[in-house]
Every structure is written in C-alpha cells, then in structure tokens.
Amino acid sequence: MFFDEVKINIKAGDGGAGCMSFRREAHVPKGGPDGGDGGRGGDVVLEADPTLSSLIDYRYKRHFKAGRGIHGKGAAKDGASGPDLVLKVPCGTVVKDSETGGLLGDLTTSGQRLVVAEGGRGGRGNPHFVTPSRRAPAFAELGEPTTDRWINLELKLLADVALVGMPSVGKSSLISRISAARPKVADYPFTTLVPNLGVVMAGERGFVAADIPGLIEGASEGKGLGHGFLRHIERSALIMHIIDLTGGFEARDVSSDFEVINRELLLHADELACRPQIVVGNKADVVGVEEADARLAACAREAGSSYFAVSALTGEGIDALVRYTAECVYGLRRECAKDEPAPERVWRHEQSREHGFSVCNLGGRVFLVEGRGVERMVIMTEWENEEALAFLQKRLVKAGVESALIAAGARDGDEIRIAGRAFEFDVGLVGDGGEQ
C-alpha cells in the first residue's frame, strides 16, 4: 500500500522537576541544600530512512510522545534526561506545521534528521538559589512542560526523470521496458494508481525514473487522480512527456494532449514550465501514425524540447532514448552540484530571545505579558510555595517586566496575565531585584 500524505500528533517530553532537599548527616548540624536538577525531556526527531518507500507506518498510529525527564533527588542527584523519540520516514519527506502550513524541514538524504518538537528544560534544584541573604532556599523549579502539535508529512518521490502523460499512453509499459520495475499494465485508463520507481542503466550512466499515474485536464485542480501525484514531479530534474501517437481510446489529437499536460504542469507549479523536457511519441510501431508523429515532432521543436518516436512494445527507438536521457541527467547533476550551496542544518530551533517579551493592554485594567523567557519563569514556579513566588517576583523585576508594565500604563491593582496565570500588579512588591 502506498501512502504519501499523513497527519500526526507529536509531543516532546516534559522536563523533570528540581529537588528541594538539605543534607542530613550525623555531626553536620547545618547541612546545606543538596537538591538535584531535573532531567531534560526527550525530543521528537524525524529521520530519513532509504529502506522506506511510503508513510504507511503512520496510517493507524497518529500520536507520538517522547520520554519525560526524571525528577531530581536529594544528595545532589540529578535526574536522567528523557529518551528522544526517533520516527523513521522515507527520503523525500516534506514536513509542515498543520496549523500554519509553514515548512519545518525537507528530508532528502539518508540519515538526515529533523527535530520537530524540543524537550522541556529540567527544573533546577534548590542549591542554585543560594545567595548571601538566602542561605537555605526552601524551593526548587518545576520541570518545563511541553505542548503537543500536529504536523503534516508529505512524501515527494526522489527521481531524476518523471514520466508524465495522459492515461493509457504507455508510461508503465515504457518503464517496464527500460528498467526492472514491473508496474501493472492493462488496456484501460488509470491502470497505474501509485507512482512506480525504476532504475535505468545506459552503460556507465544511470538514472531513476518515476512512472506518475495518468494526468487529465484539470489535474492541477484535483480532477482525475488530481494534484496528489503532481507533487512527485516537483523533485525530478527532467520530465519525459509520453504521448500516444494513435490517440488512444478517445482518438485524441497529439498536439492537444501535448498542450493539455504542459498547461497542467504550469498551473501546478510555475517552475515546472521551465523544467527540461523530452517529448516521446509512443506506439510508433502502429501503422498510420506518421502524420501524428510529424505533428508531435513539430510541437516539440517549437517548445525547444528533444523528440523521440519509440515503441514500448517492440523496443523501437528505446536504446537511443535511454542513452540521451542518461546523458541529460548526468549533465543536470553536474550543473546542480556546481551551483549547490554549502549544506546547512535542516532544522534550526527558532527560539525567541530568553529575556525578550512584549506587553499588551487587553482593555480596561488587564495587561498581557508574552515572551518565552518570562513565560518559562512563571510555568516553572511552584505556586504553592510562598518563597518561590517571592523569588519569581524578583526575577520579573530584574527582567524589566515591571518597568515595561508601568510604561504601558499599568497601576497598582491592575490584573497582569502571564502564561495562563493572573497577578495583581503591586509596585510596592519590588524588593531586591538583584538576586537570581
């Protein structure tokens, strides 16, 4: 079964909580704090695996969660980090955010990895909060929780040459003739329902060809098999446009077929109109196709494309077509290698600045403070612990939140919201903002 598009839910592991603990040993009357740090949560990672050919593994199981970090313990014992969750996907998988549609990454080479959800940070144990005036902090940080997200996985086949054309023009017969691929071949339209890959050799040169299911007019709008298979053409360096010289069951005109398919490619993606193309007139062995052969050759010349008349049944013209295609692919590869920029990491974690934040007046006397660093301070605070809350207030003052609120017009008694928590603004609670 071939699946080339799925939607899955992923969640990175939560961070482990830090520990609040003090040394308790014989003959040590004033043991200091010795709480360990919590472990970091595991990441969710996608990895390109060349042994996979579809996304069928994600058809029935849609929810995936990485391991959480272990809580810290006394005696300065840090918690272990949660294990990463590695999900294998086929080479050629494009990853997008389901909510925004934004591109997260493109896995094209074997072993390439993409982190799609980052594990939560582990909370710090109470030894981190010792200061000259706070010798025995009775609080620690909670682990940073993570949220789940939906992502779309789309498989775009990695092939050098894409065989395109109307249904029943002989694409499957041709790929079975030039390679070891054995797609289903029959005398009715839409015999091919999934793309087929075949490796073609011409002496020392070789290339990978993809037999794309038949396209019809309106395919770019989803008609017939629709744009679900047009995406597989996007990665191909060369398009082999197959046309039935006999006109097929409907006695179509070869010139019209040529124009229809090219128009659908253009409507799907502008760059496909500029993609190098080889025009192939199939079934040249049939009597009475000479006129159609001449007209199709003229169309190819006018479009600046090479033309070959072949017969997938008898093998007529196949060797010349394969040799020419292999040389074209070799030349295109060399050009791509010359122009290809230095490889970059597929994924960069686009963190907002830790201390960057914004203040927004929600109307009346309610203010919202947003920012990764500030929200993390609030989320990782133990709200049942008064000492932890006092420490949070000092951290927010030092981060400049109070000054920004005053500048935005906040006054004593106003409601301040951060990360789902609500505070009553009180300038008098500033205290000493210098401790960390």
Side-chain angles (χ1 to χ4, degrees), residues 171-226:
K171 298 184 297 298
S172 298
S173 298
L174 182 60
I175 198 171
S176 64
R177 166 69 71 169
I178 65 178
S179 73
R182 291 295 176 264
K184 182 179 180 180
V185 177
D187 59 351
Y188 56 83
F190 297 112
T191 306
T192 302
L193 297 177
V194 300
N196 295 294
L197 288 178
V199 178
V200 185
M201 296 303 299
E204 296 182 354
R205 304 271 193 260
F207 59 90
V208 178
D211 167 22
I212 307 300
L215 305 176
I216 62 173
E217 187 169 9
S220 60
E221 300 172 355
K223 293 183 179 179
L225 294 178

Side-chain angles (χ1 to χ4, degrees), residues 268-412:
H268 177 71
D270 291 342
E271 61 269 19
L272 291 181
C274 305
R275 194 70 49 87
Q277 188 175 120
I278 298 175
V279 181
V280 178
N282 190 27
K283 305 182 183 179
D285 58 307
V286 178
V287 177
V289 298
E290 293 79 6
E291 181 183 348
D293 180 26
R295 280 190 283 116
L296 186 55
C299 291
R301 284 195 302 271
E302 186 176 346
S305 302
S306 302
Y307 175 72
F308 290 84
V310 305
S311 171
L313 179 64
T314 66
E316 176 186 340
I318 295 294
D319 289 343
L321 171 63
V322 169
R323 287 195 300 270
Y324 179 80
T325 304
E327 289 299 326
C328 287
V329 169
Y330 178 73
L332 290 170
R333 283 175 177 168
R334 293 188 63 181
E335 287 298 320
C336 289
K338 187 188 305 179
D339 300 334
E340 196 172 73
E344 298 180 356
R345 286 184 59 191
V346 174
W347 178 84
R348 300 183 197 82
H349 181 54
E350 298 181 355
Q351 285 186 338
S352 58
R353 293 176 55 193
E354 286 294 302
H355 299 292
F357 63 88
S358 62
V359 176
C360 175
N361 189 334
L362 299 180
R365 302 182 61 183
V366 181
F367 293 81
L368 176 67
V369 180
E370 294 180 305
R372 181 183 176 90
V374 172
E375 291 175 2
R376 177 183 281 151
M377 294 178 194
V378 173
I379 290 172
M380 298 176 71
T381 295
E382 186 180 355
W383 285 83
E384 291 74 23
N385 189 311
E386 293 185 4
E387 190 173 341
L389 289 176
F391 177 69
L392 171 63
Q393 290 172 345
K394 294 177 181 180
R395 294 187 72 189
L396 293 176
V397 170
K398 185 172 182 180
V401 175
E402 184 193 55
S403 299
L405 286 168
I406 294 174
R411 304 187 305 275
D412 285 350

Side-chain angles (χ1 to χ4, degrees), residues 217-262:
E217 187 169 9
S220 60
E221 300 172 355
K223 293 183 179 179
L225 294 178
H227 52 71
F229 292 114
L230 278 167
R231 75 164 69 93
H232 297 300
I233 305 172
E234 296 175 13
R235 295 189 187 276
S236 302
L238 181 67
I239 294 175
M240 186 178 290
H241 190 164
I242 316 297
I243 296 175
D244 186 350
L245 292 175
T246 68
F249 300 103
E250 302 170 356
R252 298 186 304 267
D253 179 69
V254 293
S255 303
S256 175
D257 279 9
F258 180 74
E259 294 173 359
V260 166
I261 297 299
N262 282 335

